[in-house]
Amino acid sequence: MFKKILVANRGEIALRVIRACRELDIKSVAVYSEADEKSLHLKLADERICIGPAMSAGSYLNIENIINAAKKVGAAAVHPGYGYLAEKKEFAEACENRGIVFIGPTPENLKLAGDKISAKRIMADAGVAVIESSPGSVTNLDNALGICKKIGYPVMIKASGGGGGRGIRICTDEEMLREEFAIAKAEARAAFGNEELYIEKYIANPRHIEFQILADRSGNIAHLGERECTIQRRYQKLIEESPSPGLTAALREAMGETAIRAATAVKYFNAGTVEFLLDLDDNFYFMEINARIQVEHPVTELTTGIDLVKEQIRLSAGGMLDYSYDDLNRRGWAIECRINAEDPERNFLPSPGTVETYTPPGGFGVRLDTHLYQGYELPIYYDSLIAKLISFDLTRQGAISIMKRALSEFVISPLKTTIPLYRRIMDDPSFRKGDFDTGFIHKFVQEEEEDDD
């Protein structure tokens, strides 16, 4: 096992990894930018080291600074968390080249996960159902028009190097495609440094289901069940739960087997998720592989009893995977609400500032992953996610009741947050019945699509 791990991230996920290290009796080193010198993860780590200025490009995205920091403190391994460099094959390669273990998938896995076109081709060859799409990258508008005429509207224009729901535009007809294509190309170039696009058939009113997978270096792969990720805004997940209220036992088994087949096809290693779209007729289609720990991993931990971060570390240290889904003692229901510093009443306008009043929820069935504390000044430079509130009970209705109570206790003032939105959702009859699709949020956020102009 490793003696010291450098945690190449910030916020709640950095805290999550540091706590796992402490329980494994591994020394942890927290990196931080100049804007994060008062962040809570620095107080819990065994060591701390500054890696650059406030802007992420000079700190949390600076591969050389992070590698040099790991070498300076003598860290045997680096945990990237999620976001930032977690899915950059260049970072994983740099770690390996400098004799540092990258706690995550292989560079080959990361390369494929970032190449949506190649990934879909491999899945189709492996017998995994994929959404009808362009056979390769779409280089110009004429090419796009021909493809859309063949597969039919509506379609999605997607950035090949995209992720996290970014780089996606929906076109319902040829006129819209003509308007959106150049914009999508420019956005892809700006956001991902890669203007390559592809087009796929748009599936109306689907559910978004993902399966957690784990794999060791010997090729043993297991899935740990599914997570329901359907409630989203602009393809960014808001609420996740496990298990899914939309799956039958037979469908769960079929999707789980397909997830393992997909992971096997790419010789996957460590933790990741295989993502599917489920249509109204219970047909499911491969979307992508997310090659990292997910924001929503706590709901799987609570329903399986498996610490996914510890498993990541153990597998990276050469540990074997000696269990399968059938061996798990799955029980109960878990729901996660992502608490963002945004104002839902003002089209999710960011709401940074100082946390003057902070009252966290507690009690039976409540888990809170956050780096907040009273007096903490939220930096303006980073993602708006400030906390993950998770409820657990033996039944879904019980988990909803606990979440409602926990949300009513949670005070983060004067920052505006998504807490009021989630309180409304917990009372919604359709949500309580588990009857929703990816358009569900429009019931609560009518201005959802109005700020593109």
Side-chain angles (χ1 to χ4, degrees):
M1 185 56 74
F2 308 114
K3 292 183 178 180
K4 185 183 289 188
I5 291 175
L6 182 132
V7 183
N9 216 298
R10 64 177 300 278
E12 67 85 15
I13 189 59
L15 271 173
R16 175 71 185 85
V17 177
I18 289 167
R19 285 168 169 151
C21 289
R22 182 67 57 85
E23 292 170 16
L24 291 170
D25 198 26
I26 298 171
K27 297 292 184 183
S28 62
V29 182
V31 302
Y32 67 100
S33 71
E34 292 172 355
D36 268 337
E37 61 180 355
K38 294 184 179 179
S39 184
L40 185 59
H41 76 288
L42 305 184
K43 299 180 181 181
L44 270 67
D46 296 292
E47 299 177 44
R48 53 187 284 182
I49 184 168
C50 184
I51 55 169
M55 299 301 291
S56 297
S59 52
Y60 298 110
L61 288 171
N62 191 316
I63 292 176
E64 190 63 23
N65 283 9
I66 293 174
I67 295 293
N68 288 340
K71 297 300 289 187
K72 183 176 181 179
V73 300
V78 169
H79 195 301
Y82 54 71
Y84 293 122
L85 296 172
E87 293 181 274
K88 294 291 186 181
K89 73 175 181 64
E90 295 83 2
F91 183 45
E93 289 172 340
C95 288
E96 290 187 1
N97 292 338
R98 299 287 291 274
I100 300 168
V101 175
F102 178 82
I103 299 176
T106 65
E108 292 76 17
N109 292 155
L110 295 172
K111 178 182 179 180
L112 185 63
D115 185 346
K116 306 297 188 296
I117 296 171
S118 294
K120 289 185 69 174
R121 189 178 301 121
I122 291 173
M123 292 304 142
D125 290 343
V128 176
V130 299
I131 302 169
E132 187 177 6
S133 64
S134 55
S137 60
V138 182
T139 56
N140 56 60
L141 179 59
D142 287 340
N143 187 207
L145 289 168
I147 290 167
C148 292
K149 185 176 182 179
K150 179 181 178 182
I151 67 178
Y153 293 93
V155 298
M156 299 177 77
I157 307 174
K158 305 180 78 171
S160 181
R166 296 178 298 166
I168 297 174
R169 286 185 171 261
I170 299 171
C171 300
T172 57
D173 53 35
E174 182 177 317
E175 181 180 357
M176 185 174 289
L177 179 70
R178 291 180 179 275
E179 293 175 354
E180 298 286 357
F181 187 81
I183 298 172
K185 199 168 188 178
E187 284 182 344
R189 182 170 57 249
F192 310 109
N194 176 7
E195 65 179 22
E196 193 173 64
L197 303 174
Y198 70 102
I199 293 174
E200 68 180 25
K201 182 72 176 178
Y202 176 65
I203 297 178
N205 308 119
R207 297 182 88 113
H208 183 160
I209 309 291
E210 65 185 24
F211 274 72
Q212 176 69 54
I213 54 174
L214 290 174
D216 64 23
R217 295 193 187 277
S218 297
N220 300 306
I221 300 175
H223 79 80
L224 276 63
E226 82 280 5
R227 293 188 288 255
E228 173 80 64
C229 304
T230 297
I231 297 180
Q232 309 172 1
R233 176 183 182 265
R234 296 183 177 273
Y235 308 103
Q236 298 290 315
K237 300 165 187 173
L238 297 175
I239 298 174
E240 300 100 344
E241 58 184 297
S242 184
S244 164
L247 298 193
T248 62
L251 189 55
R252 178 174 294 112
E253 182 177 0
M255 294 180 77
E257 291 175 352
T258 302
I260 292 178
R261 190 186 317 144
T264 302
V266 298
K267 299 179 181 178
Y268 197 84
F269 168 68
N270 207 264
T273 58
V274 180
E275 314 245 340
F276 298 101
L277 282 184
L278 178 67
D279 71 15
L280 297 174
D281 297 317
D282 284 347
N283 300 305
F284 58 91
Y285 305 91
F286 170 84
M287 287 176 59
E288 61 184 358
I289 291 180
N290 278 324
R292 54 176 163 80
I293 193 75
Q294 293 280 80
V295 176
E296 58 272 21
H297 74 271
V299 295
T300 296
E301 293 183 328
L302 290 173
T303 53
T304 64
I306 292 178
D307 186 316
L308 292 175
V309 176
K310 286 183 182 178
E311 284 294 87
Q312 280 191 291
I313 295 170
R314 186 180 71 84
L315 293 170
S316 292
M320 299 289 288
L321 191 68
D322 57 359
Y323 55 86
S324 68
Y325 179 76
D326 292 335
D327 298 320
L328 301 177
N329 184 25
R330 284 186 60 93
R331 62 194 293 268
W333 214 287
I335 300 173
E336 174 179 295
C337 290
R338 299 190 186 192
I339 311 299
N340 297 324
E342 299 171 336
D343 186 355
E345 299 301 317
R346 300 180 65 192
N347 209 24
F348 293 83
L349 186 71
S351 179
T354 301
V355 181
E356 297 176 4
T357 303
Y358 179 66
T359 306
F364 184 87
V366 173
R367 169 174 166 176
L368 179 63
D369 287 13
T370 184
H371 59 293
L372 293 189
Y373 58 86
Q374 194 154 316
Y376 176 64
E377 185 175 354
L378 195 67
I380 63 173
Y381 308 100
Y382 311 120
D383 188 82
S384 62
L385 178 67
I386 55 175
K388 299 180 332 196
L389 180 59
I390 309 102
S391 65
F392 175 80
D393 194 68
L394 293 180
T395 67
R396 185 171 188 269
Q397 293 306 312
I400 291 173
S401 296
I402 291 172
M403 179 61 75
K404 283 183 58 179
R405 188 263 299 167
L407 288 166
S408 70
E409 294 177 8
F410 206 176
V411 178
I412 307 171
S413 178
L415 277 61
K416 298 293 185 180
T417 74
T418 47
I419 291 174
L421 171 64
Y422 296 139
R423 293 181 67 177
R424 292 168 59 200
I425 290 175
M426 292 300 131
D427 281 329
D428 181 78
S430 296
F431 175 77
R432 296 183 71 88
K433 290 189 296 184
D435 181 17
F436 47 78
D437 56 44
T438 50
F440 175 82
I441 198 65
H442 293 112
K443 296 175 61 175
F444 303 88
V445 186
Q446 298 304 316
E447 70 274 28
E448 169 76 6
E449 303 297 338
E450 294 180 3
D451 64 347
D452 282 339
D453 300 330

